[in-house]
Amino acid sequence: MEDQAKSTDATALAAFYRRERLHPEKTYLVQPLPDGQVQNYSWGEVGAQARRIASYLLSLDLPPQSHIALISKNCAHWIVTDLAIWMAGHISVPLYPNLTADSVRQILEHSEARAVFVGKLDEWASMRSGVPQDIPRIGLPLAPDDPDLLTWQALLDAHEPLPGTPSPEPDQLATIIYTSGTTGMPKGVMLSFQNMYFSANNCLRLFNISDQDRLLSYLPLCHVAERQFVEIASLLAGETIFFADSLDTFQRDMQRARPTVFFGVPRIWVKFHLAVISRVPPRLLDTLLKVPVLGRIVGRRVLEGLGLDQIRYAVCGAAPVADSTMAWYQSLGLNIAEVYGMTENCGYSHLGRPKRYKKGWIGLPNPGVECRLSEDGELLVRSNGTMQGYYKEPEKTAETITPDGFLRTGDIGEIDNEGFLRLTGRIKDIFKTSKGKYVAPAPIENLLSAHSRVEQVCVVGNNLPQPLALVQLSEAGVHEAGENRQQLARSLAALMEEVNAVLARHEQLSCLVILEDSWTVENGSMTPTLKIKRNVVEATYQDRFEDWSVSGKHVVWQAEG
């Protein structure tokens, strides 16, 4: 792997040139359009457009390796733009497509962006004031109508394709990814072409991916998981990428793509599960799945309905996943491998092996990954995927990377004698009760999430006598609450008692609080990869924690508590 890293061929851009040369007519990107049709882009067409946009960028006469921003939801031209930036010898700085104007301004100023590409967006009108007036603004084909945006087609018409195959050195900076973060100001993670190639190339070997595989891109491409698992992996392996148009069309997009490889965060896998059991009673489905022969047929039908029947490899990552979720998919005949990684190491650290599954454990270190535990139980990892550092923040870089090159993950973990990893919580998430006892919320949340009427959970308890759980109901739970609240309350109270029975005394919950509010990306309660922002959720309800905890009820309803 080290020998490969010394060659300019060992970059995602060089891999694209090979694909462009080998099969220029093969479909690479499949983009749904507003009218319900789709537009296919071949490898040759992607290359032709990227080369013309690269020529435009070179015409700006910017210093080499300038920072070029990209703000867009996932679409075909997100990838075309990324390639063009690299072809022109610059560094891409992707931004999440749902940021506020202040957040956009903060990142663009911190990164010293010299131009910005604007693509498919829902809230551009509220974001545009965050873009400095003195830098070029280029609109992708699906960009909002805005006279200040240079049009994509006009640039294609005005510039000849960049000739040759300009290639960066592997150790050159490729991108700065600003972490979505569950707390605080995002940090700019600097990843080189070598970092990205090492991570994606080794993952392809683990999964045996080929150019016959299909992907559905729906998680933000500016997040390291989608960037590596979809964009960079497709450049190396030649997979076809289908894009999801919106949440409303997600099921139709899944059916169109019939992905053979699929990455989902836990919330997505839970939503699929809840969608099924909202139509079929869980007990009936479980009974049918246990019947020999019939169970396999039923499981296959369920997967077909979800668009998951062609899956060869299913992966879950970005947050802890409940054992019950994994087990449910296993009952359908779909084995999900859990993956663990961070932006700071290109998402490349540990992976569950399909033939070496161990309940409750993530999996083994990936090839080329070294790991160890610190004295306080923090997981430390080292590989060629480790970032170059945080942009403009050498002190934070030094705090995060040890002198011998290990990345401090911030996760508390355990490693068994076979090398399997289990995480028990984030250092920053662990809280201390008023009795002086420390509690890790994630394992408790996973236990509560096993209930079919529970969609999201946040366990809190800092300076409280006992923790309590803030609960959002699933769609089926909301329906049941409207039909028979007392019955649902009894079921949830039984859940709490069941969970408390397996917890240490200081971890046991005082109550479950059923919230009517929604936690969404739009209201700032969740990250773009659907992880709860604990600081935001806690700040929203903390004035009521004490009243809820001493209510004497197992289940407290927000409107009544």
Side-chain angles (χ1 to χ4, degrees):
M1 197 61 58
E2 291 180 358
D3 291 340
Q4 287 182 331
K6 295 176 183 177
S7 167
T8 55
D9 289 339
T11 68
L13 186 55
F16 170 76
Y17 293 143
R18 288 194 293 274
R19 294 288 164 192
E20 181 188 36
R21 182 177 67 254
L22 289 172
H23 39 223
E25 302 302 322
K26 183 178 185 293
T27 297
Y28 175 30
L29 307 175
V30 180
Q31 176 64 55
L33 301 175
D35 62 3
Q37 301 298 308
V38 297
Q39 175 69 55
N40 295 337
Y41 295 94
S42 69
W43 288 90
E45 289 168 331
V46 167
Q49 293 197 24
R51 289 170 183 278
R52 289 179 183 272
I53 299 301
S55 290
Y56 160 72
L57 288 173
L58 288 175
S59 75
L60 299 178
D61 200 24
L62 301 173
Q65 298 184 45
S66 289
H67 299 169
I68 309 298
L70 171 55
I71 312 174
S72 177
K73 296 171 71 174
N74 295 16
C75 62
H77 285 86
W78 198 107
I79 292 177
V80 177
T81 301
D82 208 19
L83 290 168
I85 292 169
W86 289 339
M87 289 178 182
H90 297 315
I91 297 160
S92 61
V93 182
L95 277 68
Y96 282 95
N98 54 359
L99 297 176
T100 64
D102 287 343
S103 295
V104 169
R105 182 182 302 106
Q106 189 177 39
I107 292 175
L108 294 182
E109 290 178 354
H110 185 267
S111 67
E112 302 176 76
R114 305 296 294 268
V116 59
F117 285 84
V118 177
K120 183 181 177 184
L121 293 169
D122 295 328
E123 302 295 337
W124 171 239
S126 63
M127 299 170 70
R128 66 193 306 274
S129 63
V131 179
Q133 292 292 329
D134 59 347
I135 66 173
R137 307 178 182 195
I138 304 98
L140 274 59
L142 294 177
D145 290 333
D146 185 334
D148 290 340
L149 296 178
L150 298 171
T151 67
W152 186 268
Q153 188 59 50
L155 295 181
L156 293 182
D157 293 341
H159 294 86
E160 292 298 317
L162 185 70
T165 56
S167 298
E169 293 296 323
D171 60 357
Q172 183 178 316
L173 181 60
T175 190
I176 302 176
I177 298 180
Y178 281 83
T179 59
S180 59
T182 53
T183 60
M185 162 66 187
K187 299 183 288 290
V189 176
M190 298 188 293
L191 298 177
S192 69
F193 286 97
Q194 175 186 341
N195 294 149
M196 301 174 85
Y197 185 93
F198 169 82
S199 168
N201 193 48
N202 279 2
C203 280
L204 292 175
R205 293 178 178 180
L206 285 169
F207 288 113
N208 192 27
I209 303 300
S210 76
D211 61 9
Q212 299 303 304
D213 282 304
R214 301 183 300 277
L215 300 166
L216 178 71
S217 179
Y218 68 99
L219 291 172
L221 269 166
C222 49
H223 186 273
V224 72
E226 193 82 353
R227 191 84 173 279
Q228 289 296 120
F229 195 84
V230 173
E231 183 196 27
I232 306 303
S234 71
L235 294 173
L236 270 59
E239 299 152 289
T240 300
I241 301 176
F242 293 75
F243 291 89
D245 188 38
S246 67
L247 284 176
D248 292 337
T249 66
F250 187 81
Q251 194 59 49
R252 185 165 71 243
D253 296 326
M254 282 288 292
Q255 296 289 344
R256 177 191 300 118
R258 304 304 263 209
T260 58
V261 183
F262 186 77
F263 177 89
V265 295
R267 182 111 188 270
I268 291 296
W269 292 111
V270 168
K271 277 189 168 295
F272 283 157
H273 181 191
L274 293 176
V276 171
I277 63 177
S278 68
R279 298 191 298 268
V280 183
R283 288 185 180 178
L284 173 60
L285 180 58
D286 290 344
T287 299
L288 293 174
L289 290 171
K290 292 175 182 177
V291 178
V293 181
L294 177 62
R296 289 196 297 272
I297 296 173
V298 171
R300 189 74 177 177
R301 291 282 177 82
V302 171
L303 293 174
E304 284 178 2
L306 294 171
L308 298 172
D309 56 302
Q310 299 297 310
I311 296 291
R312 294 196 305 115
Y313 294 105
V315 180
C316 182
V321 59
D323 290 340
S324 59
T325 298
M326 304 282 275
W328 186 78
Y329 282 98
Q330 285 179 334
S331 72
L332 298 179
L334 181 64
N335 292 318
I336 300 176
E338 193 169 0
V339 65
Y340 168 73
M342 304 171 63
T343 307
E344 287 83 348
N345 60 12
C346 273
Y348 185 78
S349 181
H350 288 69
L351 175 70
R353 310 300 200 268
K355 295 182 179 179
R356 294 191 65 186
Y357 174 73
K358 181 176 287 191
K359 182 180 178 180
W361 296 77
I362 292 174
L364 298 165
N366 292 339
V369 172
E370 302 171 75
C371 63
R372 69 186 189 211
L373 298 178
S374 68
E375 291 184 359
D376 59 359
E378 182 182 9
L379 177 67
L380 310 180
V381 296
R382 179 171 65 181
S383 76
N384 284 340
T386 304
M387 66 175 179
Q388 293 184 336
Y390 294 120
Y391 184 58
K392 290 183 178 178
E393 298 190 80
E395 292 183 359
K396 287 186 178 179
T397 300
E399 292 172 2
T400 304
I401 300 178
T402 67
D404 58 349
F406 277 83
L407 176 69
R408 301 182 189 275
T409 65
D411 287 307
I412 302 296
E414 301 173 12
I415 299 174
D416 71 5
N417 56 9
E418 295 181 83
F420 281 80
L421 171 69
R422 173 164 58 197
L423 299 180
T424 55
R426 293 284 293 167
I427 291 175
K428 65 183 180 182
D429 291 342
I430 294 174
F431 57 81
K432 186 166 67 171
T433 68
S434 61
K435 298 175 183 177
K437 297 290 188 177
Y438 289 94
V439 176
I444 305 173
E445 291 165 351
N446 279 344
L447 292 172
L448 293 170
S449 296
H451 197 284
S452 64
R453 299 303 186 250
V454 172
E455 181 158 333
Q456 296 190 89
V457 186
C458 182
V459 171
V460 299
N462 193 46
N463 291 322
L464 294 175
Q466 294 292 141
L468 59 86
L470 306 175
V471 175
Q472 286 198 329
L473 298 176
S474 65
E475 185 176 341
V478 171
H479 178 75
E480 185 172 339
E483 295 288 322
N484 194 332
R485 177 173 289 195
Q486 289 185 342
Q487 177 178 299
L488 178 59
R490 286 194 296 270
S491 176
L492 293 173
L495 170 68
M496 191 184 91
E497 291 180 356
E498 180 182 325
V499 170
N500 279 346
V502 299
L503 298 177
R505 179 67 187 89
H506 68 278
E507 298 174 318
Q508 292 176 358
L509 302 167
S510 62
C511 65
L512 307 183
V513 180
I514 312 304
L515 300 177
E516 297 174 356
D517 305 331
S518 295
W519 300 334
T520 66
V521 175
E522 289 70 26
N523 65 25
S525 299
M526 303 190 74
T527 71
T529 52
L530 308 181
K531 288 186 285 190
I532 293 170
K533 290 187 176 182
R534 293 182 186 276
N535 62 323
V536 174
V537 170
E538 289 185 21
T540 302
Y541 306 104
Q542 64 183 0
D543 291 344
R544 304 184 68 182
F545 287 170
E546 288 191 17
D547 290 340
W548 285 334
S549 66
V550 298
S551 67
K553 302 176 182 177
H554 280 1
V555 177
V556 179
W557 301 87
Q558 180 184 3
E560 301 174 359

